[in-house]
Amino acid sequence: MSILGNLFFALILVAGVGYFVMNVKKLIRNINLGQDIDRTDRKNERWNNMIRVALGQSKMVKRPVAGFLHILVYVGFVIINIEVLEIVIDGLLGTHRVFSFMGGLYDVLIGSFEILAVLVLFAVIVFLIRRNVIKLKRFISSDLKGWPASDANYILYFEIVLMSLFLLMNAADFHLQNVPGGFGHYHQAGAFPVSQFLAPIFDGMNHAAVAMLERTFWWIHIIGILVFLNYLYYSKHLHILLAFPNTFYADLNAKGKIDNLESVTKEVKLMMDPNADPFAAPPADAAEAPAKFGASDVMDLNWVQLLNAYTCTECGRCTSSCPANQTGKKLSPRKIMMDTRDRLTEVGKNIDANQGVFVPDNKSLLNDYITPEELWACTSCNACVEECPVNISPLSIIMDMRRYLVMEQSAAPMSLNAMMTNIENNGAPWQYNQQDRLNWKNES
């Protein structure tokens, strides 16, 4: 590659990585719009959780077919990035297969990359069939219409193109390496267990034309990788990067344990203390009452919940296991996460358009994106939390939004209000006085 080519490559690399870094900064800013929460405790458990769930894919394999195929794509994506490192070095220095000095190890690496590329192609094709031919129920739900459905397919097409370019690039390289007497800088380097069977398509072609094709595949491959990198910000496939911090900062408490609002807890304790003076000034160390109970918009959620929203893979395992959804209710835990992410993206664009300041837009997550009907359909069974392969908790968002409805708007459903009134008056959810409270047995 000429010096001009090296400079052009460097410009493309800087532009691609620079744009990605700019979007990552926006992403961090948007996540930090959430309320503060401390998730720095129990570090050993957090590291173990991240290694087991994000790196080890332990929850993916609960559904063996999808889990196995996903692991193929995941391992291929991680390991083939070593090959990308070589491409970057070659592009900057003008070398060709710079790691070939490793000899036999290099042969093993390239051979492994090619086998993985074929396995990735196989997995991606199966994924396309599952989505577009078999049409599994969780992939054709109403919450996956439009962009989400297209996004899922686009990334699979991306994978097919990138893996195919990699194999064609190697096939052309293999052909030129075996030209009698040699050709240019194409020296013997690497083992090609797959692409050697593609090399015959170049037989009979001019060697210079084959070299031009090899360079064309090389350029499109690396540019495609940079495009893919920057596409992640706009795609559900951002989980490729965020699954690791998301599992590290996941809630480690037992499922079903609901956190209490500190200000409410202290108020209740004060009311139950016979020696407390309700008119006394609060102590200096008293926690300041929150500006709002619960959440009506994304800024009311904590930053881990917003990280959850960006990490959502839209796989639909949560919704397919949700008993409310299975019985025809409107609730879809996947939609809860997608709506939260969409609203957060909208807020971020508002900030970008107004010199870093959010200008109220008369919209909110509640009602404009998520309806009370969806929230009250939840049974709080934690099935969605248990099923999520990257430890996302749609339930925590649902509970915070319910708190807002109850504590800020007094907007609980009539059936729930009746139950609370009965508990307050009768000590039981049913309309029996204290003497008849065991009559609930006759209800069945």
Side-chain angles (χ1 to χ4, degrees):
M1 188 184 295
S2 66
I3 294 178
L4 187 61
N6 295 345
L7 291 174
F8 181 64
F9 178 85
L11 286 174
I12 290 176
L13 184 65
V14 169
V17 174
Y19 189 67
F20 173 73
V21 170
M22 181 184 73
N23 282 331
V24 167
K25 288 181 178 178
K26 287 183 182 179
L27 182 72
I28 295 172
R29 178 205 63 193
N30 290 353
I31 292 172
N32 284 333
L33 292 174
Q35 300 295 310
D36 189 31
I37 185 173
D38 184 13
R39 287 287 172 84
T40 59
D41 59 331
R42 301 157 69 178
K43 281 190 169 57
N44 287 339
E45 290 181 57
R46 296 192 178 281
W47 282 111
N48 289 336
N49 194 52
M50 184 182 74
I51 292 169
R52 180 171 49 84
V53 178
L55 187 63
Q57 305 279 288
S58 61
K59 297 185 76 173
M60 280 299 303
V61 295
K62 288 184 177 181
R63 301 193 183 191
V65 174
F68 173 71
L69 294 173
H70 188 274
I71 287 174
L72 289 181
V73 176
Y74 167 71
V75 172
F77 173 82
V78 172
I79 294 181
I80 291 176
N81 276 327
I82 301 173
E83 174 260 345
V84 175
L85 176 61
E86 182 182 53
I87 288 180
V88 169
I89 294 173
D90 283 344
L92 292 173
L93 302 181
T95 53
H96 183 72
R97 296 194 175 274
V98 68
F99 291 159
S100 60
F101 69 88
M102 293 187 291
L105 177 59
Y106 187 73
D107 293 347
V108 172
L109 285 174
I110 297 300
S112 301
F113 297 161
E114 291 208 343
I115 292 170
L116 279 170
V118 172
L119 292 175
V120 169
L121 282 171
F122 168 75
V124 166
I125 290 170
V126 174
F127 283 144
L128 280 170
I129 292 172
R130 282 159 58 88
R131 282 184 176 273
N132 302 290
V133 179
I134 300 175
K135 294 185 177 179
L136 295 181
K137 184 178 178 181
R138 62 191 172 103
F139 296 139
I140 58 173
S141 302
S142 59
D143 55 357
L144 278 187
K145 300 296 183 185
W147 167 250
S150 299
D151 175 39
N153 284 323
Y154 290 159
I155 208 76
L156 295 175
Y157 299 147
F158 248 120
E159 292 281 359
I160 289 175
V161 170
L162 290 176
M163 294 301 104
S164 298
L165 286 168
F166 170 65
L167 292 173
L168 287 170
M169 176 183 74
N170 280 358
D173 202 313
F174 176 79
H175 176 89
L176 294 170
Q177 286 184 24
N178 289 279
V179 170
F183 181 83
H185 58 261
Y186 293 93
H187 58 280
Q188 292 287 333
F192 305 93
V194 176
S195 58
Q196 64 177 314
F197 297 105
L198 300 175
I201 65 177
F202 302 111
D203 289 348
M205 293 180 62
N206 181 277
H207 298 326
V210 176
M212 183 175 293
L213 283 174
E214 189 272 335
R215 287 291 85 188
T216 301
F217 297 143
W218 187 92
W219 276 104
I220 298 176
H221 181 64
I222 189 62
I223 291 173
I225 288 171
L226 291 174
V227 171
F228 175 85
L229 179 68
N230 285 285
Y231 177 73
L232 292 180
Y233 176 74
Y234 305 96
S235 167
K236 76 187 185 76
H237 292 82
L238 197 54
H239 73 268
I240 292 172
L241 304 177
L242 295 186
F244 293 90
N246 194 77
T247 50
F248 182 84
Y249 292 113
D251 187 359
L252 299 180
N253 291 319
K255 292 181 179 65
K257 181 179 180 180
I258 306 296
D259 64 306
N260 296 315
L261 294 176
E262 185 179 1
S263 57
V264 175
T265 301
K266 287 191 174 183
E267 189 68 22
V268 171
K269 287 180 178 179
L270 180 66
M271 293 170 62
M272 297 179 68
D273 184 357
N275 300 316
D277 181 1
F279 302 104
D285 61 344
E288 184 179 346
K292 182 189 293 185
F293 293 111
S296 63
D297 210 349
V298 289
M299 290 81 81
D300 305 322
L301 299 170
N302 65 58
W303 65 266
V304 174
Q305 291 169 318
L306 301 185
L307 174 62
N308 280 184
Y310 274 126
T311 309
C312 179
T313 71
E314 297 177 15
C315 65
R317 293 186 180 204
C318 54
T319 296
S320 67
S321 65
C322 174
N325 186 271
Q326 290 174 4
T327 55
K329 304 292 194 303
K330 277 192 173 183
L331 174 63
S332 166
R334 172 172 58 190
K335 179 178 177 294
I336 296 293
M337 303 314 302
M338 292 168 64
D339 286 343
T340 302
R341 181 183 61 212
D342 290 346
R343 173 56 180 164
L344 185 54
T345 300
E346 183 179 50
V347 168
K349 289 179 179 177
N350 181 308
I351 293 172
D352 291 336
N354 293 285
Q355 289 76 49
V357 178
F358 177 71
V359 175
D361 56 2
N362 297 317
K363 296 178 70 176
S364 67
L365 181 61
L366 180 63
N367 296 320
D368 289 300
Y369 285 85
I370 301 172
T371 65
E373 181 181 357
E374 294 171 80
L375 298 173
W376 291 115
C378 177
T379 66
S380 65
C381 68
N382 272 289
C384 56
V385 183
E386 176 64 30
E387 284 294 316
C388 180
V390 287
N391 285 4
I392 290 169
S393 176
L395 178 61
S396 68
I397 294 177
I398 292 171
M399 297 304 293
D400 281 347
M401 296 183 75
R402 278 182 174 180
R403 280 173 169 166
Y404 176 82
L405 287 170
V406 172
M407 301 178 73
E408 292 281 346
Q409 296 191 331
S410 300
M414 290 181 62
S415 58
L416 187 58
N417 282 331
M419 182 195 73
M420 290 188 206
T421 300
N422 290 332
I423 290 175
E424 181 180 2
N425 296 331
N426 304 323
W430 297 275
Q431 289 181 318
Y432 301 118
N433 60 36
Q434 293 284 349
Q435 288 73 29
D436 298 329
R437 63 183 298 175
L438 294 181
N439 284 0
W440 64 269
K441 294 184 296 183
N442 301 325
E443 291 290 323
S444 58

